[in-house]
Amino acid sequence: HADAARSYVTVSTSSFAVSSTCADELPGRAASPRNGTSAVLRLTHRHGPCAPAGKASALGSPPSFLDTLRADQRRAEYIQRRVSGAAAAAPGMQLAGSKAATVPANLGFSIGTLQYVVTVSLGTPAVAQTLEVDTGSDVSWVQCKPCPSPPCYSQRDPLFDPTRSSSYSAVPCAAASCSQLALYSNGCSGGQCGYVVSYGDGSTTTGVYSSDTLTLTGSNALKGFLFGCGHAQQGLFAGVDGLLGLGRQGQSLVSQASSTYGGVFSYCLPPTQNSVGYISLGGPSSTTGFSTTPLLTASNDPTYYIVMLAGISVGGQPLSIDASVFASGAVVDTGTVVTRLPPTAYSALRSAFRAAMAPYGYPSAPATGILDTCYDFTRYGTVTLPTISIAFGGGAAMDLGTSGILTSGCLAFAPTGGDSQ
Amino acid sequence: ASILGNVQQRSFEVRFDGSTVGFMPASC
């Protein structure tokens, strides 16, 4: 009976509904004492009622679920190209700095997949900025004056004005931090270092690589923080003021703050749009309570956080999947919505999930974009789901909660383009 | 490569320290 209880979980369908009221409390974990220096930032869904100042609508109109999945597919394919080293050769896709960039962008059309935002402050005096968080990119940036629309987009806060910040400076072309931009470099103009970043969903930002004080919380400030002062953006950022890069290369916030916070960070993405999560820089020095797996690096692209998958269980039963299917590793990404698995693994997961759901007789619903296993739960007050557990190299496992199994009534997984990808 | 997306990361605290990635369930 205990095994059966761990194999299935029953959840109220009311929990699938999107609430218009924010349960505005930081989780207990965020408030708990942490050894050493740490800065804890409030993290929210950009379109939920907990968005900064309660102005979710100001952060861009919520995209349709189908549009989100379309953008998600472009991002997933882009990451896979970068990790495999094929990005430079792929038509229509490019690494930052490519001179042959072709970017399908829709100015002001908010279908970006970066769904989580934090508020920090920039400059002296400090000016609040609401930024998307992205573990899949390195360079942080904000829109800066002058920034006419277009080529910039409208944002909820006043544009950051570098001329009004006493601690601001443009990075000179001769500076080491300019030459270290490498793929993100965009030449030199008037002695100032130019930057450019292109994202997998087709968005771009260009401007002046700059330095200023970044205030994370009232008592945690980072002097000389390097970021992009964006003067031309295209694409999918409508409403937000910029982006906070949490990738692994030297330009990211994590790298720049490593002398203070030890290169350690964690985040908690809230289970619903009306609850609050957090990002913690620094924090617990021990891994007590965490299920851990080695961090790996893709030789083709050191930006990404990569782990090794070892297997998947559905309803407590391990799926029969050859370990070689997972040999390419898995990118842990906050900006991709739906987990992508090699087709062989996805097929096994889908079959096991459908079989486990069959006894309950839930009506099927049409596929939604890339999601092909959907149900109509409208006649049900509660639904019972098989648990899904993802195992990692070294024995770690994620036993997914209900918020990690379904999205919009569909199994929240999708296949990659091929087992060898 | 597979990609672990944000739907599956929800409610976990995900921790990076330069050599490991950690997952703690029901943290938010």
Side-chain angles (χ1 to χ4, degrees):
Chain A
H1 287 297
D3 286 346
R6 283 196 294 270
S7 300
Y8 286 85
V9 60
T10 300
V11 60
S12 168
T13 51
S14 64
S15 66
F16 299 152
V18 177
S19 171
S20 59
T21 305
C22 176
D24 194 7
E25 288 186 16
L26 269 176
R29 280 279 305 161
S32 63
R34 291 166 181 253
N35 297 331
T37 303
S38 66
V40 181
L41 306 176
R42 182 179 183 271
L43 177 146
T44 61
H45 196 287
R46 65 180 287 189
H47 297 302
C50 299
K55 294 178 179 175
S57 60
L59 292 176
S61 301
S64 74
F65 184 57
L66 206 52
D67 281 343
T68 298
L69 292 178
R70 290 191 185 108
D72 201 46
Q73 184 63 9
R74 290 170 68 185
R75 180 178 176 98
E77 290 172 356
Y78 177 76
I79 289 174
Q80 285 158 354
R81 284 190 176 96
R82 283 186 61 157
V83 170
S84 70
M93 290 292 181
Q94 67 292 311
L95 291 174
S98 165
K99 300 303 180 191
T102 303
V103 182
N106 301 282
L107 187 62
F109 185 41
S110 174
I111 61 169
T113 59
L114 297 166
Q115 298 178 316
Y116 296 97
V117 296
V118 296
T119 298
V120 295
S121 297
L122 194 61
T124 308
V127 178
Q129 300 282 292
T130 298
L131 308 179
E132 295 176 321
V133 296
D134 187 7
T135 58
S137 61
D138 298 303
V139 175
S140 302
W141 58 270
V142 300
Q143 290 203 119
C144 284
K145 271 191 174 180
C147 208
S149 178
C152 297
Y153 58 86
S154 61
Q155 63 179 54
R156 65 177 293 273
D157 297 311
L159 284 169
F160 179 70
D161 186 350
T163 64
R164 292 182 177 275
S165 173
S166 61
S167 46
Y168 172 88
S169 62
V171 172
C173 296
S177 54
C178 183
S179 58
Q180 288 164 1
L181 274 174
L183 288 170
Y184 304 113
S185 175
N186 194 30
C188 182
S189 178
Q192 298 181 336
C193 180
Y195 82 95
V196 57
V197 185
S198 300
Y199 297 94
D201 59 10
S203 310
T204 64
T205 172
T206 59
V208 177
Y209 203 45
S210 305
S211 166
D212 207 336
T213 299
L214 177 72
T215 303
L216 300 170
T217 66
S219 57
N220 292 279
L222 210 62
K223 292 183 178 176
F225 177 66
L226 296 165
F227 66 101
C229 212
H231 295 295
Q233 284 61 242
Q234 281 195 327
L236 315 174
F237 308 106
V240 297
D241 304 333
L243 181 142
L244 202 56
L246 298 173
R248 298 176 66 188
Q249 300 207 65
Q251 299 87 3
S252 80
L253 171 61
V254 177
S255 297
Q256 291 193 51
S258 63
S259 61
T260 304
Y261 301 110
V264 179
F265 79 105
S266 65
Y267 56 78
C268 180
L269 306 180
T272 63
Q273 287 192 19
N274 74 317
S275 53
V276 178
Y278 55 88
I279 290 179
S280 173
L281 285 157
S285 54
S286 85
T287 57
T288 303
F290 288 91
S291 184
T292 61
T293 187
L295 173 64
L296 308 174
T297 304
S299 57
N300 290 314
D301 200 320
T303 294
Y304 298 116
Y305 297 90
I306 294 182
V307 296
M308 191 59 70
L309 296 184
I312 302 171
S313 297
V314 175
Q317 300 297 313
L319 304 180
S320 179
I321 303 170
D322 193 291
S324 64
V325 168
F326 297 121
S328 297
V331 176
V332 181
D333 183 33
T334 58
T336 300
V337 179
V338 172
T339 287
R340 302 307 202 281
L341 295 172
T344 297
Y346 175 71
S347 178
L349 168 64
R350 179 180 61 184
S351 296
F353 185 81
R354 288 177 175 175
M357 292 288 276
Y360 299 96
Y362 302 122
S364 295
T368 303
I370 54 174
L371 305 180
D372 64 4
T373 300
C374 303
Y375 297 89
D376 178 1
F377 296 126
T378 52
R379 293 190 292 112
Y380 297 86
T382 60
V383 297
T384 299
L385 307 172
T387 57
I388 295 179
S389 181
I390 301 175
F392 298 93
M398 287 179 94
D399 297 324
L400 301 180
T402 53
S403 62
I405 297 174
L406 293 176
T407 184
S408 291
C410 301
L411 177 64
F413 290 81
T416 62
D419 280 346
S420 61
Q421 197 173 43
Chain B
S2 306
I3 304 173
L4 192 64
N6 65 40
V7 170
Q8 280 67 34
Q9 297 178 56
R10 290 174 193 165
S11 83
F12 285 82
E13 180 168 352
V14 185
R15 178 187 186 275
F16 304 84
D17 64 8
S19 61
T20 66
V21 179
F23 304 97
M24 184 186 289
S27 297
C28 63

